[in-house]
Every structure is written in C-alpha cells, then in structure tokens.
C-alpha cells in the first residue's frame, strides 16, 4: 500500500523532478493550493456557525455531489440515461456548485480515463500511486498520451447540448460564484448568518471536503477494495468511498459496465447509492428516461463463467498490484 512514509519522503524528489522537467502546471497548482489555504482559514469559523448553516452545508454537499454523480458523470460522460431540459439545467447548476471544471472538460477527461485506465493516457493513472491519482495529477502538466487520446475521442454530443456549452462559456466565474458566494448570500439573507462565516463554512470548507470526497473515487476506489466483477482491473468496490461520494464507490462494477446508470450491481436497498435513488425519483416525475442497466450482461457472464469452471478452463489471474510486490 502506497500510503507509506516513503510516499511522503519522495515528495521533494518528485517536486524537483517536475521542476527540472518544466512539467508543473502552475496555474492549477496555485489554484488548488489556494483552495486548501482558504478552507483552512475557514476552520476557526466552524464553532461560530448557526445550525441552519450546518444543515445548508450538508445540502450543498449532496446537491453538488449529485451535480457530479448524476450530472457530469452518469449523464454527460456515460450517457447512461436521458434527462429532460429542466433536469439537465438543475444538474448544471448543482455541478457548478461543485466547481470541478466545466461539464465539457470533466466529461472529456473522464471518457479518456475509462478508455485508458491505468496507462500514461489516463489523466489520474493510479499505477503512479495514491497521491498522484488523488490530486497530484492536477499539479503537473498532462502526459502527451492524454492529449493525444483526447483528440481521438468524439465529444460532439457535449458540444450539441446548449446547457453544457452555456456553462462552458461562463466558466470559471459562474462556478466560482455558485461555489463560494451563492451559499453565503443564501445563508445571510434567509436566516441572518454572518456573510463571511457562511462564505468560509458552506463555501470554502464544504467545497474542499467535497473535492476530496470526489478525488477518493480516483484514488481509494482505484486501489482498495474487492474486484468481484473484473479481477484484472484496478477499480474496486469501496463502500466507504460510496458513503462520501453519494453512491459512487462501486467502482469495479462501474468500470466493467460504465453505461449502467446505477453504477452498481444492486439497488439502493443493499448498496448505498443515493444517486440511483435520485435518478429513479426523476424518472418517476417524468424528468429522466431510458435508464440503462447491465445486470442482464452480468448474469449472462456468470452463466458462462460457471460453465468454464465446470469444464476446467483456468480463471484469469490479476497481475500483482505495485504495492503487493515486495520491495528489495
Ligand atoms: Zn475510475
Ligand atoms: Zn465513469
């Protein structure tokens, strides 16, 4: 496992390597560092906050989370269901609160991530270790293989969606407003919270925490957990990540069947998955339709594997992960 003191000891040499190679992404490095400094500056405000603002921060966690999971991930990146204009507009607003780059750019990177997982062309290649997959990838310039892979794929469906293009046009100012300022305006006008207290708690601290919750999908859910659906892949079933990321931690299933709108084998009664619940509720209200599932494909595969097992066909064996190989 890569969360060893060695990983931290390696940080100066990794920084010096990228410094010499000229591969540090300075604007993003400064931005992500500032996000953390502002969130740390917000911690002293936590004891001062009204209970309505605490509740508001939780609401913003879940809505911004759904803007990522039900929005840019399951709808725009994977097209696992269809949403009407109203739902797409709401998801775009919630996605802007999450402030993780525009829907267009997020979906582009994510499609490349699925096609080239755990290779140089994967934007957050988990074979480069926990920190790189989690947030280190944002600090360095993209590998040339990622840029080349991005040129190969087709994103015309994103360009054809006026809601996606409107948000892209307003990026980054609208997202910065929705992430930091809007939460403070709502809290100060509706229940008289001090503007800056709400800015730091419901804005800065909540934003930074939700960023890490999302990043755990790329780091923890690519490194730790079970592999019942595809033993050869890195992505794993990670219930703790699912708790943080509103149901997005069932990642072994998701990489095997990325077109499945549930992004998990079972329903939300047995696997924590508020995002599936939300899409199901939207379908009941007539706002979502054509929800794709992969349980049929999985059940057919199970029958085939059972037949192979009876016939003595050897099962595929995963290569040991880097942290499972004993270091000299
Ligand atoms: Zn993944
Ligand atoms: Zn995905």
């Amino acid at each position: 496992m890569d969360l060893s003191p060695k990983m931290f000891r390696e940080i100066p040499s990794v920084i010096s390597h990228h410094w010499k190679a000229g591969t540090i992404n300075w604007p993003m490095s400064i931005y992500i560092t500032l996000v953390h400094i502002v969130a740390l500056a917000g911690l002293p405000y936590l004891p001062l906050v009204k209970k309505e603002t605490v509740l508001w921060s939780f609401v913003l966690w879940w809505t911004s989370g759904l803007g990522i999971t039900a929005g840019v991930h399951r709808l725009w990146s994977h097209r696992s269901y269809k949403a009407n204009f109203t739902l797409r507009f709401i998801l775009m607003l919630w996605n802007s609160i999450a402030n993780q780059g525009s829907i267009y750019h997020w979906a582009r990177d994510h499609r490349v991530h699925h096609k080239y997982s755990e290779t140089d062309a994967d934007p957050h290649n988990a074979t480069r270790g926990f920190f790189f997959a989690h947030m280190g990838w944002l600090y360095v310039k993209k590998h040339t293989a990622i840029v080349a892979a991005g040129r190969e794929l087709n994103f015309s469906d994103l360009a054809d969606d006026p809601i996606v293009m409107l948000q892209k046009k307003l990026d980054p100012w609208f997202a910065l407003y929705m992430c930091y300022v809007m939460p403070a305006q709502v809290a100060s006008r509706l229940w008289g919270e001090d503007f800056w207290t709400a800015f730091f708690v419901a804005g800065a601290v909540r934003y930074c925490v939700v960023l890490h919750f999302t990043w755990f999908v790329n780091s923890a859910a690519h490194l730790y957990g079970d592999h019942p659906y595809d033993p050869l892949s890195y992505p794993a079933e990670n219930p703790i990540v699912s708790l943080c990321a509103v149901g997005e931690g069932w990642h072994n299933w998701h990489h095997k069947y990325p077109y499945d709108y549930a992004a998990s084998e079972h329903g939300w009664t047995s696997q924590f998955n508020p995002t599936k619940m939300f899409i199901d509720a939207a379908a009941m209200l007539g706002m979502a339709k054509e929800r794709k599932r992969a349980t049929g494909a999985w059940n057919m595969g199970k029958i085939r594997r059972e037949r192979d097992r009876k016939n003595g066909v050897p099962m595929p064996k995963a290569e040991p992960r880097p942290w499972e190989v004993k270091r000299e």
Side-chain angles (χ1 to χ4, degrees), residues 16-274:
S16 119
H17 165 81
H18 285 290
W19 180 280
K20 283 181 197 151
T23 47
I24 294 177
N25 179 348
W26 283 107
M28 191 52 97
S29 300
I30 293 166
Y31 175 72
I32 296 291
T33 306
L34 272 177
V35 164
H36 285 78
I37 292 170
V38 178
L40 285 175
L43 293 182
Y45 288 87
L46 287 178
L48 310 174
V49 88
K50 290 187 175 181
K51 59 179 183 314
E52 291 94 331
T53 310
V54 175
L55 185 68
W56 178 222
S57 303
F58 275 90
V59 169
L60 289 165
W61 164 21
W62 274 48
T63 49
S64 66
L66 288 168
I68 296 296
T69 59
V72 68
H73 188 218
R74 301 189 197 181
L75 174 67
W76 280 295
S77 297
H78 293 301
R79 299 284 174 196
S80 64
Y81 69 100
K82 285 193 177 147
N84 70 4
F85 187 90
T86 313
L87 179 58
R88 295 205 319 280
F89 195 78
I90 292 168
L91 287 170
M92 182 274 281
L93 294 179
W94 289 355
N95 180 272
S96 301
I97 301 170
N99 190 17
Q100 295 185 5
S102 73
I103 290 166
Y104 187 93
H105 292 109
W106 201 108
R108 183 196 63 193
D109 282 355
H110 194 70
R111 287 181 188 177
V112 172
H113 164 63
H114 271 265
K115 187 150 198 264
Y116 297 101
S117 294
E118 277 73 61
T119 69
D120 284 341
D122 178 353
H124 25 83
N125 175 5
T127 65
R128 292 175 72 173
F130 184 95
F131 184 77
F132 181 85
H134 191 72
M135 62 190 290
W137 64 283
L138 292 162
Y139 278 80
V140 294
K141 288 180 184 163
K142 281 191 164 97
H143 194 287
T144 48
I146 302 167
V147 182
R151 287 205 191 101
E152 249 174 47
L153 298 177
N154 183 359
F155 306 106
S156 56
D157 59 311
L158 299 170
D160 287 343
D161 189 331
I163 293 174
V164 172
M165 296 320 278
L166 172 72
Q167 195 215 33
K168 184 169 180 272
K169 212 171 161 188
L170 300 174
D171 193 58
W173 307 112
F174 183 63
L176 284 169
Y177 167 75
M178 291 296 279
C179 173
Y180 282 107
V181 183
M182 180 279 290
Q185 285 178 328
V186 169
S188 60
R189 286 195 193 155
L190 293 193
W191 53 89
E193 180 63 277
D194 171 63
F195 180 90
W196 289 107
T197 305
F199 173 90
F200 279 111
V201 175
V205 174
R206 180 268 318 157
Y207 170 46
C208 193
V209 169
V210 176
L211 270 184
H212 282 279
F213 285 170
T214 309
W215 292 341
F216 277 131
V217 179
N218 299 331
S219 54
H222 266 257
L223 295 169
Y224 315 121
D226 299 330
H227 302 82
Y229 309 109
D230 184 0
L232 300 181
S233 75
Y234 268 62
E237 298 287 281
N238 191 312
I240 296 167
V241 173
S242 276
L243 276 180
C244 299
V246 285
E248 210 70 286
W250 314 109
H251 217 51
N252 191 248
W253 174 273
H254 174 59
H255 270 259
K256 176 88 176 158
Y257 303 111
Y259 59 86
D260 185 319
Y261 87 97
S264 63
E265 181 187 1
H266 305 291
W268 36 263
T269 47
S270 49
Q271 280 180 309
F272 183 76
N273 197 340

